[in-house]
Amino acid sequence: MGLFRSDEPRTVRLDDASVTLKAGRAPWSLWADGFGRLSVRALQLIVVVVVLAAIIFAIQSLTLVTIPLVIALILASAFQPVMSWMRRRGIPSLLATVITLLAIVVILGLLGWLIVWAVRDQWDDLYSQAEDGFQQLLAWIQTLPFDFLQPDQLQEWVDKLTGFVTSAQFGSGALAGVGAVANFVTGLVLMVTILFFFLKDGPQMWEFLLRPFHGVNYLRARRIGDKTTTVLGSYVRGTATVALVDAIGIYIGLVILQVPLAIPLAVLVFLLAFIPIVGATLAGILAALVALVANDWVNALFVVGVVVLVNQLEGNFLQPVLMGRSMKLHPFVILVALTVGTVLGGIVGAVLAVPITAAAWGVIQVWNGPNEPARWARPKSPIEA
């Protein structure tokens, strides 16, 4: 077979008919060079961004459905071991579901009552003491030999922060779309209903969704479902346990240091523990400000030491045991997830951002096999790189 030069016409025979191809580049060759490949990747990226934007817009438009759905999925994943244990003991599925659902409602109800009881009567004192402590901190900063912050500038920041916290915008954002009582009740009823079906028929519902998949794709979808349930369940159980230990440890420290409002501060520590990194920092600052006003700056430093000690013990010993490697996310990833979740969903988004991110990373870790991550996410050796 002869070879053609690139600048000569070519003649080929197709079904006894001679066809002459003109010299020059084929049309598709325009996309084969570096610039063409870059253009294709840019178009693919634009399509992905548009699809993600459409999904986010749909989620934000349907928060009354999506938020109860996600919360129900997380709670069902957390109590899945309880359901499995009762089913192995021969308890009918309906009875096991009713028992588990009642236990969830009782636990959440007791937690809500404890929060209201602990904070209701002492919230005004807690707020005023924290504000006084912040003012004392600002006064101390102004005595420093540095001239990088002017008193007027500090006061302007304080006024802006106070105005934002007391504004309707902050309240609506904190409630994340369920500010109205009717919407809250509707979302709560919907969440309980979805949770009932997830507990009772969760595996069957997932199998129904997997019917279009076959072979390798079916096995991958099964791994995705199992990994998502495992990660979400581990997150809720681990975070709740860690939050309880943090609250008890800091409460004991505050009682020993004779800091007032120890119970509401411990409750806030428990709640803020569900927001990683940021929550523990806010709780420590609030406790230190109260100690600064009620006692003195030495006592406030001891409170900071107690908070740091409890957080270090929790982060280095308790979290790895309770959550395992499936929840091991870099702090930078957690901060980015928290920021995105807060922008998109307010306080609810901040709480849900980290478990959703951890579940997504867990899915990537089992994409090609039970212990085989997706090819692009595998660690590379210098030779492979």
Side-chain angles (χ1 to χ4, degrees), residues 270-284:
F270 177 82
L271 295 177
L272 292 174
F274 285 88
I275 305 177
I277 300 177
V278 178
T281 303
L282 292 177

Side-chain angles (χ1 to χ4, degrees), residues 3-71:
L3 298 176
F4 292 104
R5 292 175 55 188
S6 60
D7 56 349
E8 294 179 352
R10 307 178 182 183
T11 302
V12 296
R13 295 188 67 84
L14 299 174
D15 298 332
D16 297 331
S18 297
V19 179
T20 300
L21 300 179
K22 294 183 179 181
R25 300 176 64 184
W28 57 84
S29 64
L30 296 174
W31 302 94
D33 58 4
F35 186 76
R37 289 192 295 271
L38 177 62
S39 302
V40 172
R41 289 291 181 264
L43 290 174
Q44 292 172 340
L45 182 61
I46 291 174
V47 172
V48 171
V49 170
V50 170
V51 172
L52 289 177
I55 294 174
I56 293 174
F57 176 77
I59 291 175
Q60 288 183 315
S61 301
L62 300 173
T63 52
L64 190 59
V65 177
T66 55
I67 290 178
L69 180 65
V70 174
I71 294 176

